[in-house]
Amino acid sequence: MPNKLTLSAIMVGLSMSLAACQQDQAASNQSPAKVEQAATHSAQDARDFIESAQAEMEKLQFPASQAAWAYATYINQDTAAVSAYLSEKLSVRTAELAKEAAKFNHVEVDANTRRQLDLLLNSFVLAPPSAPEKSERMSQISSELDGMYGKGDYCRKDGECWDLGQMTAKMARSRDHELLLEIWQGWRQISVPMKPLYEEMVTLANEGAKELGFADTSELWRGKYDMPAKDFSAELDRTWEQVKPFYEALHCHVRAKLGDYYGTDVVPQDKPIPAHLLGNMWAQSWGNIYDLVKPEQKMQVPDVTAALKKHGYDEIKMVKQAESFFTSLGFEPLPETFWERSQFVKPQDRDVICHASAWDLDDKDDLRIKMCIQKTGEEFNVIHHELGHNFYQRAYKNQPLLYRGSANDGFHEAIGDTIALSITPKYLKQIGLINEIPDESNDLGMLLQVALDKIAFVPFGLMVDQWRWKVFSGEVTPENYNQAWWELREKYQGVMAPVARDANAFDPGAKYHVPGNTPYTRYFLAHILQFQFHKALCEIAGDQGPVHRCSIYGSKEAGKALNDMLEMGMSKPWQEALQTMTGSNQMDATAILDYFAPLKTWLDQQNQGRQCGW
Ligand code: X8Z
Ligand code: ZN
């Protein structure tokens, strides 16, 4: 998991970059009395303050992480209480320190100290209000929401119950649209009771954000990107506009093919696509319906799920294989404790939070993943994703606490995915999972398979926080939570609810990151950045072929370039980290578009004569 990983499982955002503008905001909120007081502090005082603040936070952080791990891997009333308690202690103390840091707003300090002071102020995902009963309540709610999601399941009329893992597998493979609809609706019952809690949490978190000098939690979240919040929003719009024509072409083709398969009464050709037919519970990535939308001509596309099965891979072997990619780049193997303490498989005797996450419990060597691994190609990718977090965490562990994080949160999400882009047929052959590399006439099939996951994801990666930002800013009020969610789903993704939603539905809550309070824009960023990273690393590795056939497996040069960026942590603005590895300081969708370019030509041909758009 992105957020609950760095400084501890708990102190989610402590490791985020800070926008210069936040400092101005804090300054502009200062009363004259405080400014006067600031004049009596020296640069040395500021350095001392940062040092002791970090030491104090570090002490609170580790037990909070341990309790959070215990809760996530064994949900019950006691682990919930202990985890909420320790998490609250850490965040309340951090908020006090962040407020205290304002006394250095007008003190001239060196660049590092200023950056660390800024990072401290910006470190929260949910800032606690200072009234103790309110911060306690917020902590309880957030832990309860997490648990409600973790425990969620759906029971059919005949009494049979399915957990999310079982439903995920059915959504991926079933082509029975009535069953798909039943599952789609069934899972969304879990979030109905979340709504009042979520509402209350929004109010409390906004109060905490205001106390720190932010307009609301939305401004806090958008202020972590080394640029003013409104400029960051504009950057997102710019990048999305780059990808949009490609997405629209993919959408058009997929809708047409789904119409052929299910009938145009089920999939009307002038409307958004019904959200239950895309092979994924949230219609966020569509790789599972490749068989329904693939080219007419026969294409050899490796079936990783089948290959893993054929070669007898169990969950541990899948993780070992993923680890060996990282070690082939020159990274040290994971510690023995990783293998002893991780949760790889869903325990049968208790509720856990299955949503995959990567943990660094002590900022030394206690790295773990928490997954309920299914033996599929999709999950093989998720394992690489999670290990990307772990190797990043280890690379920056010697940075001061406030720099232990990724350049921006999108970087953390992009590293494992970058490695997974190297799981090409060439690589699968190298590790013996397939016998032959399909020739280039099959590339179209492979590109479509990958685009169904990566291009299809982009608007989903954007819309989740477009919704949350409106909720936090008050633009969307509780009566309109669900309606606003579906408006954004339709606007960005061109998908619609397959049936009218009940007045009490709270569909955002059925997506982990909403009750889990994990910011989501990071995944949008990661989907753009990973193609920039992959391209740069392939060049460094000296790969001569097209970038979609490149694997950096075994390249120590690529590994070194990657590590140079990872070990910077968040000590520099993300633009500098990006420059270190790619030579450019701009986030740019050209790399993802170039990667899939041959597919775009093909999609445009397929779409001729079709009515696209929604
Ligand atoms: O949540 C995740 C990771 C953990 S950080 C498995 N992802 C997003 C999701 O599942 O919705 C990865 C891609 C998007
Ligand atoms: Zn992640």
Side-chain angles (χ1 to χ4, degrees), residues 1-3 5 282 284 355-357 382 385-386 389 413 417 457 460 511-513 520 523 527:
M1 155 108 345
N3 58 359
L5 51 85
W282 306 275
Q284 68 182 62
H355 191 86
S357 54
V382 178
H385 175 97
E386 297 308 331
H389 288 311
E413 299 305 333
D417 282 11
F457 180 84
F460 184 74
K511 175 67 198 163
Y512 172 73
H513 303 69
Y520 211 81
Y523 303 107
H527 276 68

Side-chain angles (χ1 to χ4, degrees), residues 167-402:
M167 286 188 274
T168 298
K170 289 183 205 298
M171 292 294 286
R173 283 194 289 272
S174 170
R175 303 295 177 241
D176 170 351
H177 68 87
E178 283 171 2
L179 175 66
L180 291 169
L181 182 59
E182 182 192 339
I183 296 174
W184 189 93
Q185 285 183 280
W187 175 244
R188 280 161 179 75
Q189 290 169 12
I190 66 144
S191 47
V192 173
M194 291 177 188
K195 188 177 165 191
L197 291 172
Y198 197 80
E199 243 181 275
E200 198 184 339
M201 189 201 75
V202 167
T203 307
L204 292 167
N206 277 339
E207 212 176 305
K210 280 200 187 80
E211 285 183 27
L212 289 172
F214 298 94
D216 55 50
T217 304
S218 157
E219 195 181 77
L220 169 64
W221 284 22
R222 288 181 293 122
K224 296 169 192 267
Y225 295 93
D226 296 303
M227 59 175 74
K230 71 171 179 7
D231 293 2
F232 179 62
S233 292
E235 272 295 277
L236 296 180
D237 291 344
R238 178 183 67 77
T239 327
W240 166 232
E241 287 300 324
Q242 287 184 283
V243 183
K244 203 164 144 195
F246 205 128
Y247 179 76
E248 285 171 348
L250 183 66
H251 180 282
C252 190
H253 174 69
V254 166
R255 183 175 64 189
K257 287 294 197 177
L258 289 176
D260 291 348
Y261 187 82
Y262 289 109
T264 51
D265 51 333
V266 179
V267 189
Q269 294 298 296
D270 55 352
K271 291 213 172 82
I273 303 174
H276 61 314
L277 303 176
L278 290 155
N280 173 277
M281 183 60 93
W282 306 275
Q284 68 182 62
S285 48
W286 307 345
N288 291 320
I289 57 156
Y290 173 75
D291 61 314
L292 299 183
V293 305
K294 67 187 178 190
E296 314 268 292
Q297 62 274 41
K298 204 168 161 31
M299 293 273 160
Q300 258 184 284
V301 177
D303 179 343
V304 178
T305 304
L308 291 169
K309 188 165 184 196
K310 183 173 158 204
H311 290 87
Y313 272 66
D314 61 12
E315 295 83 355
I316 305 292
K317 191 162 177 205
M318 288 166 77
V319 183
K320 291 260 180 209
Q321 190 64 59
E323 180 199 29
S324 78
F325 200 120
F326 288 87
T327 53
S328 87
L329 300 176
F331 290 90
E332 288 297 314
L334 291 162
E336 209 34 58
T337 51
F338 171 88
W339 302 101
E340 291 158 10
R341 298 175 189 173
S342 288
Q343 174 193 294
F344 298 114
V345 181
K346 185 175 185 192
Q348 290 307 307
D349 59 342
R350 57 186 195 256
D351 285 320
V352 300
I353 297 171
C354 272
H355 191 86
S357 54
W359 298 57
D360 177 2
L361 278 91
D362 64 356
D363 288 356
K364 293 191 182 76
D365 219 24
D366 192 351
L367 302 166
R368 308 177 195 178
I369 61 170
K370 177 184 63 59
M371 286 185 70
C372 299
I373 299 177
Q374 318 249 354
K375 290 178 273 183
T376 63
E378 198 177 349
E379 289 273 280
F380 194 44
N381 279 340
V382 178
I383 295 169
H384 288 76
H385 175 97
E386 297 308 331
L387 292 194
H389 288 311
N390 281 150
F391 282 98
Y392 209 153
Q393 288 158 340
R394 194 160 60 179
Y396 58 59
K397 71 175 181 181
N398 293 327
Q399 291 284 352
L401 182 87
L402 284 158

Side-chain angles (χ1 to χ4, degrees), residues 38 41-44 46-47 104-111 113-114:
H41 294 287
S42 70
Q44 187 56 45
R47 284 193 292 273
F104 302 109
N105 278 348
H106 296 277
V107 178
E108 217 174 288
V109 295
D110 61 280
T113 306
R114 177 56 60 206

Side-chain angles (χ1 to χ4, degrees), residues 6-8 11 13-16 44-63 89-90 93-98 100-101 104 110-121 123 362-364 396-405 568-571:
T6 31
L7 291 194
S8 84
M11 202 43 208
L14 250 185
S15 45
M16 306 269 150
Q44 187 56 45
D45 292 339
R47 284 193 292 273
D48 293 346
F49 170 80
I50 278 295
E51 202 175 312
S52 77
Q54 295 190 118
E56 213 184 316
M57 284 171 351
E58 199 159 30
K59 262 202 182 142
L60 290 168
Q61 193 181 294
F62 301 147
K89 291 285 160 269
L90 169 62
R93 185 59 193 136
T94 307
E96 285 167 3
L97 290 165
E100 205 184 322
F104 302 109
D110 61 280
N112 260 318
T113 306
R114 177 56 60 206
R115 186 166 174 80
Q116 290 174 0
L117 287 164
D118 289 348
L119 285 169
L120 177 59
L121 178 65
S123 62
D362 64 356
D363 288 356
K364 293 191 182 76
Y396 58 59
K397 71 175 181 181
N398 293 327
Q399 291 284 352
L401 182 87
L402 284 158
Y403 285 162
R404 285 178 218 151
M568 289 168 74
M570 57 198 321
S571 62

